Amino acid sequence: MPKKGIMGGTFDPIHYGHLVTAEEVRDYFGLDEVVFVPSARPPHKIGQKITDPEHRYLMVVLATITNPYFSVSRVEIERPGPSYSVDTVRYFRELWGGDTEIYFITGADAFAQISTWNNPEELLRLCTFVAATRPGYRLQHLEGPLKDRVKIIEVSALAISSSEIRRRVRRGESIKYLLPEAVENYIYKNGLYRD
Ligand code: ATP
Ligand code: MG
Protein backbone atom coordinates (compact mmCIF):
# COMPACT_ATOMS: atom_id res chain seq x y z
CA MET A 1 0.00 0.00 0.00
CA PRO A 2 1.38 3.40 -0.93
CA LYS A 3 1.82 5.76 2.00
CA LYS A 4 1.88 9.48 1.52
CA GLY A 5 2.22 12.46 3.81
CA ILE A 6 0.63 15.88 3.64
CA MET A 7 2.27 18.75 5.49
CA GLY A 8 0.09 21.83 5.60
CA GLY A 9 1.12 25.21 6.92
CA THR A 10 1.34 28.91 6.35
CA PHE A 11 5.09 28.60 5.81
CA ASP A 12 5.64 32.31 6.34
CA PRO A 13 8.51 31.45 5.96
CA ILE A 14 9.26 27.71 5.86
CA HIS A 15 12.10 26.75 8.25
CA TYR A 16 14.10 23.76 9.48
CA GLY A 17 11.43 22.94 12.10
CA HIS A 18 8.99 22.13 9.27
CA LEU A 19 11.61 20.30 7.21
CA VAL A 20 13.02 18.17 10.02
CA THR A 21 9.49 17.22 11.12
CA ALA A 22 8.45 16.16 7.62
CA GLU A 23 11.66 14.21 7.07
CA GLU A 24 11.57 12.41 10.42
CA VAL A 25 7.91 11.46 9.93
CA ARG A 26 8.66 10.28 6.39
CA ASP A 27 11.54 8.14 7.59
CA TYR A 28 9.70 6.76 10.65
CA PHE A 29 6.53 5.68 8.80
CA GLY A 30 8.30 4.82 5.52
CA LEU A 31 6.31 7.31 3.46
CA ASP A 32 6.81 7.32 -0.32
CA GLU A 33 6.28 11.05 -0.57
CA VAL A 34 5.51 14.13 1.51
CA VAL A 35 3.53 16.90 -0.17
CA PHE A 36 3.86 20.38 1.32
CA VAL A 37 0.66 22.39 0.97
CA PRO A 38 1.03 26.12 1.59
CA SER A 39 -2.24 27.52 2.84
CA ALA A 40 -3.64 30.46 0.87
CA ARG A 41 -6.06 31.83 3.47
CA PRO A 42 -5.58 30.02 6.80
CA PRO A 43 -8.92 30.38 8.67
CA HIS A 44 -7.15 30.59 12.05
CA LYS A 45 -4.92 33.44 10.91
CA ILE A 46 -7.67 35.76 9.66
CA GLY A 47 -6.90 39.36 10.54
CA GLN A 48 -3.18 38.63 10.73
CA LYS A 49 -0.87 39.99 8.07
CA ILE A 50 0.26 37.12 5.86
CA THR A 51 2.79 37.25 3.03
CA ASP A 52 1.55 36.81 -0.56
CA PRO A 53 0.94 33.09 -1.19
CA GLU A 54 3.16 33.14 -4.28
CA HIS A 55 6.16 34.19 -2.16
CA ARG A 56 5.38 31.51 0.42
CA TYR A 57 4.90 28.89 -2.30
CA LEU A 58 8.25 29.73 -3.92
CA MET A 59 10.05 29.60 -0.58
CA VAL A 60 8.62 26.10 0.00
CA VAL A 61 9.80 25.05 -3.47
CA LEU A 62 13.30 26.38 -2.77
CA ALA A 63 13.42 24.66 0.63
CA THR A 64 12.24 21.25 -0.58
CA ILE A 65 14.17 21.05 -3.86
CA THR A 66 17.04 18.98 -2.44
CA ASN A 67 14.79 16.23 -1.05
CA PRO A 68 13.60 13.73 -3.68
CA TYR A 69 10.72 12.66 -1.41
CA PHE A 70 9.34 16.17 -1.02
CA SER A 71 6.99 17.98 -3.38
CA VAL A 72 4.82 21.10 -3.21
CA SER A 73 1.16 21.46 -4.12
CA ARG A 74 -0.67 24.59 -5.22
CA VAL A 75 -4.08 23.11 -4.42
CA GLU A 76 -4.92 25.52 -1.59
CA ILE A 77 -3.53 28.48 -3.51
CA GLU A 78 -5.76 27.75 -6.51
CA ARG A 79 -8.87 27.04 -4.41
CA PRO A 80 -10.98 30.10 -3.56
CA GLY A 81 -12.27 30.74 -0.05
CA PRO A 82 -10.77 29.77 3.30
CA SER A 83 -8.14 26.99 3.17
CA TYR A 84 -9.71 24.11 5.07
CA SER A 85 -7.52 21.03 5.53
CA VAL A 86 -10.51 18.73 5.12
CA ASP A 87 -11.02 19.97 1.53
CA THR A 88 -7.35 19.37 0.81
CA VAL A 89 -7.32 15.84 2.20
CA ARG A 90 -10.52 15.07 0.28
CA TYR A 91 -8.76 16.28 -2.87
CA PHE A 92 -5.72 14.05 -2.31
CA ARG A 93 -7.90 11.08 -1.32
CA GLU A 94 -9.58 11.43 -4.73
CA LEU A 95 -6.28 11.93 -6.57
CA TRP A 96 -4.42 9.04 -4.91
CA GLY A 97 -7.36 6.63 -4.58
CA GLY A 98 -8.63 4.60 -1.67
CA ASP A 99 -5.56 2.32 -1.47
CA THR A 100 -3.19 5.03 -0.35
CA GLU A 101 -2.62 5.54 3.34
CA ILE A 102 -2.60 9.28 3.99
CA TYR A 103 -0.67 10.76 6.91
CA PHE A 104 -1.55 14.33 7.76
CA ILE A 105 1.45 15.86 9.51
CA THR A 106 1.07 18.68 12.02
CA GLY A 107 2.95 20.08 14.95
CA ALA A 108 1.49 19.32 18.37
CA ASP A 109 0.44 22.94 18.80
CA ALA A 110 -1.59 22.84 15.60
CA PHE A 111 -3.03 19.44 16.46
CA ALA A 112 -4.18 20.64 19.89
CA GLN A 113 -6.55 23.02 18.05
CA ILE A 114 -8.11 20.32 15.87
CA SER A 115 -11.53 20.55 17.51
CA THR A 116 -11.76 24.13 16.18
CA TRP A 117 -11.03 23.03 12.60
CA ASN A 118 -13.68 22.62 9.93
CA ASN A 119 -15.16 19.09 10.05
CA PRO A 120 -12.50 17.33 12.16
CA GLU A 121 -14.52 14.08 12.17
CA GLU A 122 -14.32 13.71 8.41
CA LEU A 123 -10.66 14.70 8.45
CA LEU A 124 -9.87 11.91 10.91
CA ARG A 125 -11.87 9.44 8.83
CA LEU A 126 -9.94 10.32 5.68
CA CYS A 127 -6.44 10.06 7.05
CA THR A 128 -4.13 9.24 9.93
CA PHE A 129 -2.92 12.20 11.91
CA VAL A 130 0.67 12.56 12.96
CA ALA A 131 1.17 15.04 15.77
CA ALA A 132 4.83 15.94 16.11
CA THR A 133 5.72 17.24 19.53
CA ARG A 134 7.85 20.34 19.48
CA PRO A 135 9.53 22.27 22.27
CA GLY A 136 7.08 23.92 24.64
CA TYR A 137 4.14 21.75 23.65
CA ARG A 138 3.20 18.60 25.52
CA LEU A 139 0.35 16.52 24.23
CA GLN A 140 -1.86 14.86 26.76
CA HIS A 141 -2.52 11.20 26.08
CA LEU A 142 -5.47 10.63 23.83
CA GLU A 143 -8.55 8.59 24.53
CA GLY A 144 -11.57 7.27 22.68
CA PRO A 145 -11.93 7.05 18.90
CA LEU A 146 -9.07 9.47 18.32
CA LYS A 147 -6.55 7.02 19.64
CA ASP A 148 -5.98 4.82 16.56
CA ARG A 149 -6.20 7.66 14.09
CA VAL A 150 -3.58 9.80 15.74
CA LYS A 151 0.11 8.97 16.04
CA ILE A 152 2.23 11.06 18.32
CA ILE A 153 5.87 11.26 17.40
CA GLU A 154 8.68 13.13 19.05
CA VAL A 155 10.84 14.96 16.56
CA SER A 156 14.28 16.38 17.17
CA ALA A 157 13.77 19.44 19.29
CA LEU A 158 13.95 22.53 17.16
CA ALA A 159 12.78 25.71 18.83
CA ILE A 160 12.27 27.47 15.51
CA SER A 161 9.10 29.31 14.50
CA SER A 162 8.18 31.46 11.53
CA SER A 163 7.06 34.28 13.83
CA GLU A 164 10.49 34.38 15.47
CA ILE A 165 12.18 34.47 12.06
CA ARG A 166 9.93 37.36 10.93
CA ARG A 167 10.70 39.23 14.15
CA ARG A 168 14.42 38.77 13.66
CA VAL A 169 14.32 40.05 10.08
CA ARG A 170 12.33 43.09 11.19
CA ARG A 171 14.99 43.87 13.82
CA GLY A 172 17.87 43.24 11.43
CA GLU A 173 19.01 40.17 13.39
CA SER A 174 20.57 37.07 11.85
CA ILE A 175 18.40 34.19 10.67
CA LYS A 176 21.30 32.10 9.43
CA TYR A 177 20.99 28.32 10.08
CA LEU A 178 17.30 28.56 11.00
CA LEU A 179 16.17 27.93 7.44
CA PRO A 180 17.73 26.93 4.10
CA GLU A 181 20.12 29.49 2.67
CA ALA A 182 18.11 29.79 -0.56
CA VAL A 183 15.05 30.83 1.48
CA GLU A 184 17.13 33.29 3.50
CA ASN A 185 18.39 34.84 0.25
CA TYR A 186 14.86 34.92 -1.18
CA ILE A 187 13.65 36.85 1.88
CA TYR A 188 16.36 39.50 1.53
CA LYS A 189 16.11 39.74 -2.24
CA ASN A 190 12.36 40.43 -2.03
CA GLY A 191 12.49 42.59 1.08
CA LEU A 192 10.09 40.35 3.02
CA TYR A 193 9.29 40.92 6.72
CA ARG A 194 10.91 44.34 6.83
CA ASP A 195 7.90 46.65 7.16
P1 ATP B 1 3.99 30.93 13.13
O1 ATP B 1 5.04 31.19 14.15
O2 ATP B 1 3.75 32.06 12.19
O3 ATP B 1 2.72 30.36 13.70
P2 ATP B 1 5.02 28.29 12.55
O4 ATP B 1 6.50 28.25 12.68
O5 ATP B 1 4.20 27.73 13.65
O6 ATP B 1 4.57 29.77 12.17
P3 ATP B 1 3.21 27.23 10.59
O7 ATP B 1 3.28 27.49 9.13
O8 ATP B 1 2.17 27.93 11.38
O9 ATP B 1 4.68 27.58 11.18
O10 ATP B 1 3.18 25.67 10.90
C1 ATP B 1 2.90 24.67 9.96
C2 ATP B 1 2.95 23.33 10.67
O11 ATP B 1 4.27 23.06 11.13
C3 ATP B 1 2.06 23.27 11.92
O12 ATP B 1 1.49 21.98 11.98
C4 ATP B 1 3.03 23.49 13.05
O13 ATP B 1 2.59 22.88 14.24
C5 ATP B 1 4.29 22.81 12.53
N1 ATP B 1 5.55 23.37 13.06
C6 ATP B 1 5.93 24.66 13.05
N2 ATP B 1 7.15 24.83 13.61
C7 ATP B 1 7.56 23.60 14.00
C8 ATP B 1 8.75 23.10 14.67
N3 ATP B 1 9.75 23.91 15.05
N4 ATP B 1 8.83 21.78 14.93
C9 ATP B 1 7.79 20.96 14.56
N5 ATP B 1 6.67 21.35 13.93
C10 ATP B 1 6.53 22.66 13.65
MG1 MG C 1 2.12 28.21 13.95
Side-chain angles (χ1 to χ4, degrees), residues 7-12 15 17-18 21 45 105-110 132-135 155 158-164 166:
M7 174 101 192
T10 315
F11 304 124
D12 194 13
H15 53 69
H18 301 128
T21 299
K45 286 189 179 168
I105 308 164
T106 68
D109 59 319
T133 53
R134 62 193 274 207
V155 296
L158 278 175
I160 305 174
S161 70
S162 302
S163 22
E164 177 60 20
R166 296 193 299 272

Side-chain angles (χ1 to χ4, degrees), residues 3 8 15 17 28 54 60 72 93 97-98 102-103 105-106 111 115 153 155 161 164 171 182 188-189 192 194:
K3 295 188 201 173
H15 53 69
Y28 184 84
E54 295 299 341
V60 175
V72 193
R93 173 53 75 209
I102 301 180
Y103 292 74
I105 308 164
T106 68
F111 178 75
S115 62
I153 170 171
V155 296
S161 70
E164 177 60 20
R171 293 178 181 160
Y188 294 139
K189 184 168 180 179
L192 305 184
R194 301 273 288 284

Side-chain angles (χ1 to χ4, degrees), residues 42-176:
H44 59 286
K45 286 189 179 168
I46 278 169
Q48 281 173 242
K49 197 172 163 263
I50 298 175
T51 306
D52 186 312
E54 295 299 341
H55 279 317
R56 292 184 288 109
Y57 168 77
L58 281 173
M59 289 190 281
V60 175
V61 170
L62 289 173
T64 54
I65 210 153
T66 54
N67 190 324
Y69 293 102
F70 288 176
S71 63
V72 193
S73 167
R74 293 181 57 86
V75 66
E76 291 195 1
I77 294 174
E78 307 296 348
R79 194 172 62 219
S83 310
Y84 293 122
S85 299
V86 68
D87 297 329
T88 299
V89 177
R90 229 187 263 134
Y91 165 84
F92 281 109
R93 173 53 75 209
E94 192 107 318
L95 185 74
W96 291 334
D99 283 349
T100 302
E101 249 183 87
I102 301 180
Y103 292 74
F104 193 88
I105 308 164
T106 68
D109 59 319
F111 178 75
Q113 305 293 314
I114 189 171
S115 62
T116 69
W117 295 15
N118 188 247
N119 208 342
E121 301 81 15
E122 185 185 352
L123 198 50
L124 285 161
R125 254 198 320 276
L126 288 167
C127 61
T128 300
F129 253 78
V130 182
T133 53
R134 62 193 274 207
Y137 297 94
R138 281 233 121 175
L139 269 189
Q140 297 308 306
H141 66 276
L142 299 160
E143 280 162 34
L146 275 184
K147 225 175 150 183
D148 344 313
R149 303 300 281 161
V150 181
K151 316 270 185 212
I152 296 170
I153 170 171
E154 246 178 69
V155 296
S156 302
L158 278 175
I160 305 174
S161 70
S162 302
S163 22
E164 177 60 20
I165 290 171
R166 296 193 299 272
R167 197 174 307 128
R168 286 188 185 214
V169 174
R170 206 180 316 122
R171 293 178 181 160
E173 294 168 7
S174 172
I175 54 169
K176 228 174 189 25

Side-chain angles (χ1 to χ4, degrees), residues 10-29:
T10 315
F11 304 124
D12 194 13
I14 188 165
H15 53 69
Y16 282 130
H18 301 128
L19 293 162
V20 165
T21 299
E23 179 64 3
E24 288 194 9
V25 170
R26 182 198 67 73
D27 196 41
Y28 184 84
F29 292 104

